[in-house]
Amino acid sequence: TMAAPPFLASMGLPVDLWQQGSVLKWWTCFTIVMTDVGAYFGGKSFGKNKLATLGRGAAGETSPNKTIEGAVSGILASML
């Protein structure tokens, strides 16, 4: 592994903050992937109500096949 840069200690930050940052990056990427996968499969399996019917705007114009069930599934999958 890479050693922590010396300026972390000089700023009074914990030395393992360097490794904590990499864990945070991986956790963020993992959460994004889980949200996308959950929304895809939840929308394919249970999707009936179009997200565009909630209101006007970019949701209906850009992605007309997005569903409310897919959005809820993505949120639930990100909490796992």
Side-chain angles (χ1 to χ4, degrees):
T1 62
M2 203 168 164
F7 66 85
L8 288 179
S10 68
M11 293 171 44
L13 297 170
V15 180
D16 68 339
L17 187 66
W18 185 260
Q19 286 141 355
Q20 291 174 7
S22 65
V23 169
L24 180 65
K25 285 180 194 175
W26 279 105
W27 187 259
T28 302
C29 290
F30 179 73
T31 304
I32 291 169
V33 169
M34 288 302 295
T35 303
D36 285 346
V37 170
Y40 175 78
F41 285 112
K44 285 290 181 186
S45 300
F46 307 110
K48 291 185 175 75
N49 303 312
K50 298 288 184 185
L51 193 59
T53 60
L54 290 179
R56 296 177 303 219
E61 296 170 7
T62 317
S63 302
N65 293 326
K66 302 280 187 217
T67 62
I68 297 170
E69 294 81 4
V72 171
S73 298
I75 292 168
L76 292 175
S78 72
M79 289 189 233
L80 290 177

